[in-house]
Structure formats: structure tokens, C-alpha cells
Amino acid sequence: MDTLIMVGQLLLGLSILVGLHELGHLLTAKMFGMRVEKFSIGFPPKIIGFQWGETEYSIGAIPLGGFVKISGMVDESMDTEQMNSEPQPWEFRSKPAWQRLIVMLGGIIVNVITGILIFVALVYQKGETYYSKEQIIEHGIVAYDIGKQIGLQDGDKILDINGEPYQSLSEISGGDALLSTDGYYTVERNGEIIQVKIPRGFINSFSNEESMSNFIHIRMPFDIFEVTKGTEAERVGLQKGDRFIEVNGQPVKYFNEWQNALADAANTEVSIKIDRNGQEIDKTVKVAEDGTVGFITNPLLEPVSKKFGFAESISKGTEKAFGVVIINARALGRMFTGEVSAKNVSGPIGMAKIYGNKWDWTKFWSITGLISMILAFMNLLPIPALDGGHVVFLLYEMISGKTPSDKFLENAQKVGMVMLLALMVFAIGNDILKLFTGG
């Protein structure tokens, strides 16, 4: 069932985005009087379809893309027979270069608009919820394995990132920080101000969602929410609302301190001091083999919650949408220099895992908006067979006044298709490798 939910979300998200992308091409083509022969979500073989006017609309069995077939255009169909006949007024090749350019940008523009609308709607409906810089400075962080690898420690108070202020906990592990050159965190540790360097290529440590949770988090003050029946906590009389002060004489305020104090005390007794309604009480408890005594914790630190008006949501949502593009462009550039590992490239399996095995509409639309912006960016790359490749040839034609030959465009299309196929095989190979290695 978990797999079905992941696959279902991926297919729904891709179908929406691919359908809208190809619709952008179709509408702009028809706007300029071009004949659109086919519109397909998914690649052949065809599952279902119907004819409406001059266009056949269909759904293909391979749900990893889609296409529109515009008369008189060199595309993935490689219909060279049509290109050998005399150009007709309704064909792509008969139209002015500026109209053809708009058609090729149509899908990208629709994906950008879709991504922006999704982010604006999410900001307007949900606002923002985060642990703030002020809370981090007050309570400090918990450094997990990946955080400790670069020198962060429990209790560190992160003052800024690369000398610049930040707003939320998520920015500490965000793309701006991890992709920075000679990056560093300014940290207050035991009253001393130090710098913790962000190593080049550190972003490679965050290959999946699980690794993000193994970096840092804010230290969490807590009390007892519920005592589990039949446990040591019930036996010694711990109650809801009790707050721990000491374990074996060592001060305890945060949950990670409680965990650390009990980590080496399995199957032994420890002395604890609790605060119950302002009264200090001493008790002795036996720690279970798994390092617990039997209660459910109650976090005492509430994240900051912000709501935005419609105008603010437009600004904030647009900023978030284009932030995705900027981060991915920077990551792609670092991939060519070797700083970012190509192993971070994911295919459909990796994308399905990002959606997750629980159907959460907020998360679904967040990821779909993110993919929409990435899809627009990737399609704009100057690779033959992608929209960006066609854009380059059209810009060349508009600037030079010379039209590339049909034979050149056909060969470029073949090269581009081989490149895209190789990239897809590489991405799927990465997905499979991660499944076997747990990456």
C-alpha cells in the first residue's frame, strides 16, 4: 500500500505538470494558426484517446512525459516525410521565428505560472511555521551525526550563516548555506564566538529526507505528557506535567540531555529530581534496556506561526518559487565542477520517495510546485530535443537571419534524444543503487 501511495502521487503530480506543459505548447500553437496533430500525456503505446477537431488527444502507457505534434516541426516523432513536402501555411516552419519562439516557450511559461500559483496558494492558505533564529539562540541546537561531522555540538547557538542573518531553522540546512563557497556558521559555544566551516561538497551528505533529520534540530524543553501504564514511570509515581531537573546530579532541561543521561544507564537505577507544580521531588528509577522509563514527552517549545495577506502571499510565493530555480541552477553548476555528486540526480523512483508513503495534500502540492519549477528550468537548458534547444536555434535564426536546415535540426534532435535517454538511464540507475545501498 505504501508503494501504491507513492506511485499514485508521482503519477498524479507528473500528469498534472506534463499535461499543463504540453497544453502551453498546444494553446500558443493554435493561437498562431498552427495545426496540432496530437496531444498526449504519457508516451506510446496509447491507452485511450479521442479526436476533437484537427487534434487527437490521448493518454500513453509510459507516464514519464508527454508531447504535442505540431505540423511542420522537427520533433521527437522524427516525421521526416512530412518535412520533405512543401511547407503549408498552417505548419510550424511556415510561421515567423518570433511566433515559433513563443510556442517553444509556451510549456515553460505555463510550468512557471503553475509553480508560482501553487506556492502563492500554499503561503496564503498555510502561512509559514518554523523555529526562529531567536529560539535557536535561546535554546541552542542538538547536533546529530552529520552535524557533528563538521564540528557542530549540542548546545551551539547559531548566530548567522556566512556572516548574514537568517530567519528559520530550515535555512541552516538550506541550499544557500550548503552550496555556499567558503561557507561557515557563526556559533556561540559556552560564551565563546567561533566559526564552524561548511565543507565544499557538504550538500552531498544530504542525499535523502532521512539524512536531513540526521543533521541538527533545536533543543526541546519538555515535560511528561502521559505516563505509560505498567512501566517504571508509573511505579515510582511520575505524573503528567512533571519536569526533570537533574539525573544523577547532572542538570537536565532538554530532551536530548535526558536521552544522553539515560543512554549509558540501561538496566540500572538512576536518581532523578523533578519539578511538580513548583515543588522539587527526588526519586530513584530503574532504566529499561532501551534507555527509557515509560512516558510520552510533551514538547514545550511552540514554533513561530505566520499568516500572510493575499498581496504578501503573491510576493512570498513568487520568491519561494524562483528560489527553487536558483538553488537548482547553482547545484547543476557545482555538479559540472565535481563539487556536487552526480549521485544526487534522481529518477522516478527517487521522486516517488520524495512524495512519501502518506497522502498529505499540503506536501503533495508543495512537491508538485517544486517539480513544476524544476521542470521549467530543465526544459530551458540548451539541449537539442528539449524546448531550450529549439529556443537556441530560433534565437540564432532571429539574430543571424539564417534558418538552420531541416537536416541539421533532425540530426540535432537525434543527438538530444540520445542525451536525454542516457540521462534517464543514469537517473534510474541512481535510484536502483540507492534502493540497494540505503542511500
Side-chain angles (χ1 to χ4, degrees):
M1 181 59 70
D2 289 351
T3 301
L4 288 176
I5 291 173
M6 286 193 290
V7 172
Q9 291 187 90
L10 175 65
L11 293 182
L12 177 60
L14 284 182
S15 296
I16 291 170
L17 297 180
V18 169
L20 289 172
H21 178 91
E22 301 304 336
L23 184 64
H25 292 310
L26 179 142
L27 292 178
T28 49
K30 287 181 176 290
M31 181 174 69
F32 293 123
M34 300 177 194
R35 180 175 294 174
V36 180
E37 300 174 18
K38 294 182 180 180
F39 172 95
S40 177
I41 300 175
F43 294 119
K46 179 176 70 175
I47 298 176
I48 190 172
F50 64 92
Q51 188 81 23
W52 186 19
E54 64 189 16
T55 307
E56 179 191 27
Y57 298 85
S58 62
I59 296 176
I62 304 175
L64 298 179
F67 64 92
V68 289
K69 182 169 178 12
I70 303 172
S71 297
M73 175 182 170
V74 177
D75 58 15
E76 57 270 15
S77 69
M78 300 306 293
D79 187 356
T80 57
E81 183 177 340
Q82 183 187 65
M83 301 303 294
N84 289 331
S85 61
E86 286 296 316
Q88 301 298 317
W90 61 79
E91 290 187 338
F92 178 84
R93 57 181 168 165
S94 299
K95 301 298 180 177
W98 67 270
Q99 292 185 4
R100 286 178 277 144
L101 179 64
I102 292 174
V103 171
M104 295 318 305
L105 291 173
I108 294 171
I109 292 170
V110 168
N111 279 135
V112 170
I113 292 172
T114 300
I116 290 173
L117 289 176
I118 289 173
F119 279 107
V120 168
L122 288 171
V123 170
Y124 182 71
Q125 182 182 14
K126 298 293 183 179
E128 289 184 337
T129 302
Y130 57 89
Y131 291 108
S132 68
K133 173 184 175 180
E134 290 72 24
Q135 290 174 311
I136 293 168
I137 291 176
E138 179 182 355
H139 298 284
I141 63 163
V142 182
Y144 300 117
D145 290 343
I146 293 176
K148 289 176 180 177
Q149 288 174 14
I150 65 170
L152 292 172
Q153 297 182 11
D154 290 351
D156 282 352
K157 300 177 179 182
I158 298 178
L159 306 179
D160 61 50
I161 304 171
N162 299 330
E164 299 292 333
Y166 68 98
Q167 183 181 49
S168 66
L169 178 67
S170 62
E171 292 177 53
I172 297 173
S173 57
D176 281 336
L178 302 184
L179 288 169
S180 55
T181 302
D182 300 323
Y184 62 92
Y185 301 113
T186 303
V187 170
E188 179 187 335
R189 179 181 297 164
N190 301 322
E192 181 184 0
I193 306 298
I194 63 172
Q195 287 187 356
V196 175
K197 292 185 178 181
I198 304 173
R200 291 178 67 85
F202 184 51
I203 195 171
N204 296 316
S205 301
F206 299 86
S207 58
N208 53 45
E209 201 167 348
E210 290 76 18
S211 59
M212 281 292 184
S213 63
N214 201 28
F215 181 39
I216 64 167
H217 203 268
I218 193 168
R219 289 202 297 182
M220 186 61 63
F222 73 106
D223 64 16
I224 294 177
F225 175 73
E226 183 181 344
V227 175
T228 307
K229 292 187 178 297
T231 63
E232 180 72 2
E234 183 185 45
R235 185 189 71 79
V236 301
L238 294 181
Q239 298 179 11
K240 180 178 180 178
D242 286 350
R243 297 184 65 172
F244 295 92
I245 302 173
E246 293 180 358
V247 175
N248 285 340
Q250 296 297 316
V252 168
K253 179 180 179 181
Y254 300 103
F255 185 62
N256 72 295
E257 294 175 331
W258 167 259
Q259 289 180 308
N260 292 339
L262 270 61
D264 299 324
N267 296 319
T268 65
E269 290 188 341
V270 297
S271 60
I272 61 173
K273 181 176 289 186
I274 60 173
D275 179 334
R276 179 178 295 165
N277 299 321
Q279 180 184 3
E280 293 186 0
I281 301 173
D282 293 310
K283 292 183 177 293
T284 300
V285 297
K286 184 175 181 180
V287 182
E289 188 173 354
D290 62 356
T292 64
V293 296
F295 62 85
I296 299 171
T297 62
N298 176 42
L300 297 177
L301 185 61
E302 291 290 333
V304 174
S305 182
K306 282 187 177 181
K307 291 290 185 181
F308 299 94
F310 184 67
E312 288 180 301
S313 298
I314 292 175
S315 174
K316 196 77 176 177
T318 303
E319 180 185 338
K320 285 177 176 285
F322 281 102
V324 169
V325 176
I326 293 169
I327 291 300
N328 277 275
R330 290 174 61 188
L332 183 63
R334 301 291 174 86
M335 198 172 292
F336 284 112
T337 66
E339 183 177 332
V340 174
S341 173
K343 293 180 181 179
N344 292 315
V345 176
S346 292
I349 299 173
M351 292 169 64
K353 290 177 70 176
I354 292 172
Y355 273 108
N357 57 11
K358 294 181 180 178
W359 203 295
D360 179 330
W361 282 111
T362 298
K363 184 177 180 181
F364 170 83
W365 285 114
S366 296
I367 296 169
T368 301
L370 182 146
I371 294 175
S372 188
M373 297 303 294
I374 294 175
L375 184 62
F377 167 69
M378 295 302 291
N379 263 288
L380 195 55
L381 293 176
I383 299 174
L386 288 180
D387 296 341
H390 290 283
V391 167
V392 169
F393 297 142
L394 285 166
L395 289 175
Y396 167 79
E397 179 181 342
M398 293 171 69
I399 294 170
S400 69
K402 300 176 182 178
T403 304
S405 68
D406 289 343
K407 192 65 177 176
F408 172 82
L409 293 176
E410 289 171 14
N411 289 331
Q413 187 76 14
K414 292 176 183 177
V415 171
M417 290 175 67
V418 170
M419 292 172 64
L420 293 180
L421 181 61
L423 179 60
M424 180 60 70
V425 170
F426 178 77
I428 294 174
N430 266 351
D431 285 347
I432 295 172
L433 181 63
K434 289 175 185 176
L435 285 176
F436 283 103
T437 61

